[in-house]
Every structure is written in structure tokens, then in C-alpha cells.
Amino acid sequence: MAEIGRAHGVRGEVRLKSWTADPASVRDYGPFVTADGRPLRLTSLRPAPGGEADMFIVQVEGVSDRSAAEALARQRLFVPRDRLPQLDDEDEFYLADLVGLAVENCEGRRIGDVIAVHDFGAGDVIEIRPVTGDGEKRGSVMVAFTRGFVPVVDIAGRRLVVTPDPFLPDGKGPGDEEPDGPAGDGGAS
């Protein structure tokens, strides 16, 4: 739902980046749980200086000095799934729903599984672990989660399609050979 950033001031406030569709609605989802299971409640929320719509200054219940605030840095905040809004559109899903989906190439061949979804600041990225011919899973690759690279997301079918195939040289598969002659040549003289 959100991630706590650095301490703000000396009274225990921290910066908070909201990942909710309406950033200010993050306050409506609490209380939160940290990745290690600690409960956490926000007692105040105001926009952070700088004008970014998803950045806030928050007070956390029980945190009243800078040292305690600094100890919260980089904590991600979660809520139980049943507190999230129900999605009505079949094209809508939560990014967490992608983890565990089978990954197929354009020909429908299973090439791996989604093992994580990351946001490094430039957009969402899915991490895919390949399935080898012997069924063993080795290493992983990351693919930008855009319609261009992931044209099909089928949550109900527990699969998505990635193009080009990130596990083949140049992303090409059988039947993807370049035509003879220059592009647009058409064979006519």
C-alpha cells in the first residue's frame, strides 16, 4: 500500500510514498502491517513539500522522536487482501495477482513463471523465472510490465503472454526469421 521513507523533523514524523490509486486514500486502509508482521497505525497525514501527489508527511502511532522515525525507514506497509476494494472490471487486477502466473510466449508455449513484481521508479517490472526443458527453474529475467511487452494478462486463466520471448537470442522464436532481402523489398524489381 505504501512505503515509509526518511524521517521528517525531530517529532517522529516520516515521509510516506502511497501506492494507492488515489494517493490520499492510503489513510483509509490502516491499520497496516510491516513485512515482518509489526502493526502500524498512521495518526496524521499531510502532503509533503514538493507537490508530488503520492508523497506525504505522516505521524505513526507511538513514534515521537527522530530516532524512532529513522528506524522505520524503508518499511513497506501492507493490509489484508479482504480490506482492498473489489475490482469489477476484468481488465483490472492487483499487481500481487501476477505473482505465480504462468508465462507464455506468443506461440502459447510456457516459458516460465512470474516470481515478483518490482517498481524501481521507472514503472512496474515483472520478474520471470524460466522453466527449462527438464522442468528445472534457473535464474530469472525482468521484463517491463507494459502492454507492448505483456499484451495478454489472463488472471482467471492464471497466465500471461510475454513478447518477445526473453529467453531466446534476440527474443526470436521459430518462425520469426527475417525475410530475405531488404525490408519492404517485396521481391519486386
Side-chain angles (χ1 to χ4, degrees):
M1 301 299 301
E3 183 173 349
I4 295 176
R6 66 182 186 267
H8 180 83
V10 296
R11 295 190 178 112
E13 291 180 313
V14 293
R15 293 177 62 86
L16 180 104
K17 180 171 181 69
S18 172
W19 294 326
T20 56
D22 170 14
S25 72
V26 70
R27 69 177 148 236
D28 301 331
Y29 290 100
F32 300 97
V33 177
T34 61
D36 61 3
R38 290 182 290 154
L40 200 137
R41 183 182 304 273
L42 306 180
T43 59
S44 70
L45 179 133
R46 68 179 191 276
E52 294 178 55
D54 60 355
M55 291 298 296
F56 299 93
I57 304 298
V58 300
Q59 184 72 53
V60 177
E61 186 176 87
V63 176
S64 59
D65 62 44
R66 187 170 182 89
S67 294
E70 288 171 344
L72 293 175
R74 308 301 295 168
Q75 290 291 319
R76 290 184 175 206
L77 306 182
F78 302 90
V79 296
R81 177 72 180 238
D82 62 358
R83 279 200 274 162
L84 297 175
Q86 193 71 336
L87 301 176
D88 298 324
D89 187 346
E90 70 180 46
D91 287 333
E92 287 186 313
F93 49 85
Y94 291 110
L95 292 176
D97 294 339
L98 299 175
V99 177
L101 293 185
V103 178
E104 298 176 356
N105 63 13
C106 288
E107 289 79 37
R109 185 172 55 85
R110 183 167 176 223
I111 58 174
D113 298 301
V114 177
I115 60 171
V117 180
H118 305 282
D119 181 354
F120 300 113
D124 296 317
V125 176
I126 57 172
E127 185 173 0
I128 303 168
R129 179 163 294 138
V131 175
T132 62
D134 59 9
E136 185 177 335
K137 299 174 182 181
R138 299 182 187 122
S140 67
V141 298
M142 295 197 190
V143 174
F145 186 60
T146 64
R147 185 96 42 205
F149 290 110
V150 185
V152 175
V153 176
D154 179 4
I155 299 294
R158 304 286 306 144
R159 71 183 191 94
L160 57 80
V161 174
V162 172
T163 185
D165 186 328
F167 301 110
L168 296 175
D170 299 324
K172 296 182 185 205
D176 290 340
E177 295 83 17
E178 292 292 324
D180 293 331
D185 180 83
S189 310

